[in-house]
Amino acid sequence: MARILICYYSRSGNTKKMAYLIQKGAMDEGAEVDTKNVKDVMVADLRKYDGIIIGSPTYYGGMAAPIKDLLDKSIRVHGKLQDKVGGAFSSSTNVGGGNETTVLAVLQALMIHGMVICGDHRGDHYGPVSIEAPNKRVEKNCIMYGKRVAELTKKLHG
Ligand SMILES: Cc1cc2nc3c(=O)[nH]c(=O)nc-3n(C[C@H](O)[C@H](O)[C@H](O)COP(=O)(O)O)c2cc1C
C-alpha cells in the first residue's frame, strides 16, 4: 500500500485544515496517510514514505521557518528520497500574496531531492492554495489533489 506523509506548519489553523482535506482525498484513494505537524516529523522518518506532501502558510511570499528548517535538515537523507512523489500546498491572506511562490519553493527543494512532482491540470496547477481558511473551492481542490497524489504514488510505488 502506498504510504503518504502530509506534513504541515500552521499557526492559526488554515494550513492544517487543508492538510486534513488532502488526507481525506488520499485515503479515499486507498493510501495509508500520516498527517503530522512539522514539529512531530523526524527527518529520518521521511525515508519511510512513498509520497511526501508539505504545507506551509505563506510568510513574506515564501515558506514558514519551521518548514524551511525541516527541508534544510533533510540534507541528512539527501539521495534517499529519490523517486518518491512530492507535493505542496499553502494558505495566504492575499490573492497575489505569494501562495504559489511558496508552493513552488517547497517543490523546488523536493525536486533537488530527486522527487517526482505531482502537478494538476484541473485544479490548482502547482498544488492547492487557499485565501485564509479553505472555502468550497479549496475544499474540492484539496480533496482532488490528495486523490491525485495517491494515484500517482500507487502507480510508482503501489
Ligand atoms: C509572519 C507572517 C508573514 C505573512 N506573510 C504573508 C504574505 O507574504 N502574503 C500573504 O498573503 N499573507 C501573509 N501572511 C498571512 C498568512 O499567510 C495567512 O494568514 C495564512 O492563512 C496563515 O495560515 P495558518 O492559519 O495555517 O497559520 C503572513 C502571516 C504571518 C504571520
Side-chain angles (χ1 to χ4, degrees):
M1 187 187 276
R3 291 200 68 193
I4 293 177
L5 171 69
I6 302 172
C7 163
Y8 67 88
Y9 172 73
S10 187
R11 207 153 88 172
S12 46
N14 300 331
T15 313
K16 181 178 179 180
K17 283 183 188 142
M18 295 176 80
Y20 280 94
L21 290 160
I22 294 167
Q23 172 184 285
K24 179 181 167 7
M27 288 177 77
D28 286 351
E29 202 50 45
E32 189 184 318
V33 185
D34 288 336
T35 300
K36 293 187 178 183
N37 188 306
V38 65
K39 70 178 170 51
D40 300 320
V41 174
M42 310 300 291
V43 171
D45 290 346
L46 297 175
R47 293 184 67 175
K48 294 191 309 202
Y49 296 95
D50 306 310
I52 300 168
I53 308 174
I54 295 179
S56 174
T58 297
Y59 280 5
Y60 289 93
M63 67 188 94
I67 296 293
K68 178 73 168 101
D69 186 53
L70 175 76
L71 289 170
D72 286 355
K73 288 182 175 145
S74 71
I75 193 160
R76 292 183 205 143
V77 291
H78 195 82
K80 310 290 185 198
L81 306 183
Q82 179 152 312
D83 295 344
K84 294 179 186 296
V85 175
F89 58 100
S90 182
S91 169
S92 67
T93 292
N94 299 303
V95 175
N99 50 31
E100 286 194 326
T101 50
T102 301
V103 166
L104 288 170
V106 173
L107 295 181
Q108 195 174 324
L110 300 186
M111 286 178 78
I112 291 168
H113 275 294
M115 293 174 67
V116 178
I117 299 309
C118 187
D120 196 317
H121 71 93
R122 292 169 302 176
D124 293 343
H125 300 317
Y126 305 113
V129 289
S130 181
I131 301 305
E132 298 291 342
N135 60 15
K136 289 284 170 219
R137 184 201 73 85
V138 176
E139 279 178 24
K140 186 172 142 236
N141 275 342
C142 285
I143 292 169
M144 234 164 58
Y145 187 70
K147 283 187 182 180
R148 164 101 182 94
V149 174
E151 266 168 18
L152 181 60
T153 307
K154 277 197 297 187
K155 275 186 200 160
L156 292 181
H157 301 277

